[in-house]
Amino acid sequence: MKKWTSLFLALAMTIFLPACGSAGNPDTASKPPVSSSIPTAAETPAPTATETPAEEPAENEAATPEDSSSVLIAYFSWSGNTEAMAGMIQEQTGGDLFAIEPETPYTGDYNALLEQAQQEQADNARPALAAQVENWEQYDTVFVGYPNWWSDAPMIVLSFLESYDCTGKTVIPFCTSGGGGFGHSVDSVTTSAAGATVLEGLHVSGSRVESAQSDITAWLDELGV
Ligand SMILES: Cc1cc2nc3c(=O)[nH]c(=O)nc-3n(C[C@H](O)[C@H](O)[C@H](O)COP(=O)(O)O)c2cc1C
């Protein structure tokens, strides 16, 4: 019997003593147990699609008016006034801006330009365009801006309108001038944008474009754009 008791004690010491020794070792005592509940890098679940920054553009999209991708603001500007007005319309509508430019740039000389513009009008010219709008079909509403040249729209603006199918589009003219307002340009725009519905435009004097923000806001509100 004593022999069996000694054997049992010897066996028990072999099993339990090493475990007690390791618990007292500072090196190992401070380490988390192997099966810690803190996930290691390898165990950390990869972020799901909804947690990644890929969500952010969706939020940005929601901040823009839903139909802004269907609004185009096309403008021609020789000395910058109409371009400034176009920028204000763009800011408020979120639409796409497009600068109408002739293939052969207009002269930079004011007096020569007066003559050139008058000649183009007399010839009922349609100057060639430098570029075309991509995805014209996506736009339902097209703002068309220009300076008053000799009481009409510059001929390049008519080239622009006539180079697209305007059927079913809503065209909204805007204009800057030295005091002559739209002149008879709205008639020309209406004829060139065949098939479009032309809404009430806004004219701003070239010298006061920078302070026209509130007029532009009121006009856009009235249009509901
Ligand atoms: C060739 C030419 C013709 C113009 N004809 C007129 C005109 O008949 N009536 C008018 O009020 N302003 C006229 N202007 C003045 C412009 O309409 C005005 O300065 C406009 O704001 C310029 O716009 P922009 O800076 O976008 O080119 C004319 C300017 C030029 C260069």
Side-chain angles (χ1 to χ4, degrees):
M1 186 63 187
K2 259 189 183 172
K3 188 176 156 194
W4 285 111
T5 308
S6 308
L7 258 174
F8 175 77
L9 280 174
L11 193 64
M13 282 170 77
T14 313
I15 293 168
F16 294 115
L17 274 182
C20 291
S22 115
N25 182 341
D27 283 350
T28 51
S30 58
K31 288 182 185 164
V34 174
S35 65
S36 163
S37 61
I38 304 164
T40 63
E43 291 165 343
T44 307
T48 63
T50 53
E51 292 166 341
T52 62
E55 279 290 284
E56 284 170 23
E59 284 170 25
N60 293 343
E61 276 165 27
T64 330
E66 229 177 77
D67 60 350
S68 64
S69 63
S70 70
V71 176
L72 178 71
I73 302 118
Y75 68 93
F76 167 73
S77 182
W78 183 75
S79 53
N81 296 336
T82 312
E83 182 178 26
M85 191 173 173
M88 292 175 182
I89 296 168
Q90 194 282 328
E91 272 174 32
Q92 293 196 42
T93 61
D96 295 339
L97 269 182
F98 179 80
I100 301 169
E101 283 168 8
E103 194 175 76
T104 307
Y106 284 108
T107 173
D109 180 88
Y110 183 77
N111 290 326
L113 181 66
L114 287 176
E115 275 184 34
Q116 187 181 358
Q118 198 170 33
Q119 191 60 51
E120 279 189 356
Q121 228 182 72
D123 296 343
N124 198 21
R126 292 295 183 271
L129 295 154
Q132 294 284 325
V133 172
E134 280 177 30
N135 306 324
W136 171 258
E137 310 72 39
Q138 90 180 50
Y139 300 107
D140 299 327
T141 302
V142 182
F143 287 86
V144 180
Y146 49 85
N148 173 328
W149 275 7
W150 296 112
S151 298
D152 207 339
M155 296 296 109
I156 190 69
V157 174
L158 306 188
S159 298
F160 172 81
L161 289 169
E162 290 170 15
S163 69
Y164 300 99
D165 182 2
C166 293
T167 310
K169 306 281 187 197
T170 297
V171 167
I172 308 170
F174 63 98
C175 168
T176 66
S177 77
F182 277 110
H184 45 84
S185 66
V186 175
D187 289 343
S188 302
V189 164
T190 304
T191 303
S192 291
T197 301
V198 179
L199 299 187
E200 183 77 29
L202 181 69
H203 154 259
V204 171
S205 172
S207 58
R208 59 168 301 270
V209 169
E210 295 306 331
S211 53
Q213 190 71 64
S214 56
D215 289 349
I216 291 171
T217 305
W219 168 59
L220 292 174
D221 284 351
E222 206 165 304
L223 291 174
V225 181

